[in-house]
């Protein structure tokens, strides 16, 4: 148990997932985790469901925190940082999940030299299956990174990267769920085309993607080796693999990651110019 006094600013989709993960993993007691949001209704629900203290004004609670998690939308960030600047103490750790905002920007806007860890989780945090990456900005230490790692491990897998790689992380795992949703939908359509009822096709397609990922994860085998194990000479699977190669499935997915990464870099550059 970390047992830190935490404040979570932004009790929306991602904030709520982190809150649930932190409490389920027993990282800190509910009484130590205050949620700040602008919506009284959202706060009431979080208080009722999780027993956490809540506040509408971050200034009233940030002063007493050891760790502040920023989970608001990018356009709200400046307002939040400016409102808490006066009460922030330099030793407080900030963890930001805000897409496209460099950790040094947060540290510099707060103006007290705080350690900041920036994270890029993905939407699967809502079911504790996120793929997250974290990066630290000076003066964050190993202890700060380990603390952030424990929090994101509570909602899935977490890896450490250099901050310069967070655009690539956005292109791969941040945007990746959408690519896989398209794969599931297309597999389902394929099943329907060859005569399966849609609900049956959807269940089979979803479980096939889930099971294949689970096998890669649990065996640690290379996906190419697992693919070779299921392709009988002259059989059905190798015929389909040939079709996928001819139509460029792998090149298409590689291009998708590259394009999303470039777009993330462009958006960050535009944001920096503002
Ligand atoms: N969703 C994802 O898959 C994903 C993945 C990685 C990173 N992220 C990042 O996570 C952050 C949060 O995303 P989300 O999807 O959880 O957004 P969200 O559901 O809109 O949550 C943000 C919450 O903060 C509230 N808020 C607005 N202004 C505030 C203020 N001044 N003080 C406190 N709370 C305030 C919002 O209220 P209103 O509804 O009134 O605005 C909302 O309840 C974003 O910066 C995003 O880049 C998201």
């Amino acid at each position: 148990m970390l047992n830190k006094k935490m404040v979570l600013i932004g009790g929306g989709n991602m904030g709520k997932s982190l809150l649930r993960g932190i409490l389920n993993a027993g990282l800190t007691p509910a009484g130590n985790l205050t949620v700040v949001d602008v919506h009284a209704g959202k706060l009431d629900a979080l208080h009722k469901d999780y027993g956490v203290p809540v506040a509408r004004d971050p200034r009233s609670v940030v002063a007493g925190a050891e760790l502040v998690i920023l989970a608001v939308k990018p356009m709200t960030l400046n307002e939040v940082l400016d409102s808490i600047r006066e009460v922030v103490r330099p030793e407080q750790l900030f963890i930001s999940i805000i897409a496209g905002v460099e950790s040094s920007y947060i540290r510099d806007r707060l103006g007290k030299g705080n350690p900041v860890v920036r994270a890029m989780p993905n939407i699967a945090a809502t079911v504790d299956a996120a793929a997250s990456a974290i990066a630290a900005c000076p003066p964050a230490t190993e202890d700060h990174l380990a603390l952030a790692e424990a929090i994101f491990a509570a909602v899935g897998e977490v890896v450490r990267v250099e901050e310069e790689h967070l655009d690539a992380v956005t292109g791969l795992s941040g945007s990746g769920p959408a690519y896989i949703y398209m794969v599931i939908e297309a597999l389902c359509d394929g099943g329907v085309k060859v005569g399966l009822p849609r609900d049956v096709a959807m269940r089979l397609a979803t479980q096939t993607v889930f099971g294949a990922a689970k096998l890669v994860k649990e065996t640690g085998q290379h996906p190419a080796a697992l693919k070779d194990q299921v392709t009988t000479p002259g059989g059905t699977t190798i015929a389909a693999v040939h079709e996928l190669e001819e139509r460029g499935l792998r090149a298409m997915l590689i291009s998708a990651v590259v394009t999303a990464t470039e777009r993330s870099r462009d958006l960050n550059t535009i944001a920096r110019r503002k």
Side-chain angles (χ1 to χ4, degrees), residues 9-10 12-14 36-39 42 71-74 76 79-80 97-99 120-121 123:
I9 306 182
N13 296 318
M14 296 302 284
V36 177
D37 201 286
V38 285
H39 285 284
K42 244 180 223 175
V72 292
K73 292 277 193 207
T76 322
E79 178 194 326
V80 168
I97 62 163
I98 299 166
M120 174 49 66
I123 192 64

Side-chain angles (χ1 to χ4, degrees), residues 3 10-11 21 62 70 80 82 122 124 143 160 190 219 229 238 260 267:
N3 212 10
V62 161
L70 299 168
V80 168
D82 294 347
N122 69 11
D143 284 354
R160 295 182 184 195
T219 64
Q229 284 169 27
I238 193 66
L267 290 174

Side-chain angles (χ1 to χ4, degrees), residues 18 36 46 94 102 114 136 168-169 180 207 211 213 218 227 251 266 271:
L18 288 175
V36 177
L46 291 174
F94 280 75
E102 286 174 9
N114 289 75
V169 169
I180 303 304
Q207 183 62 20
E218 289 187 3
K227 185 256 297 161
D266 287 349

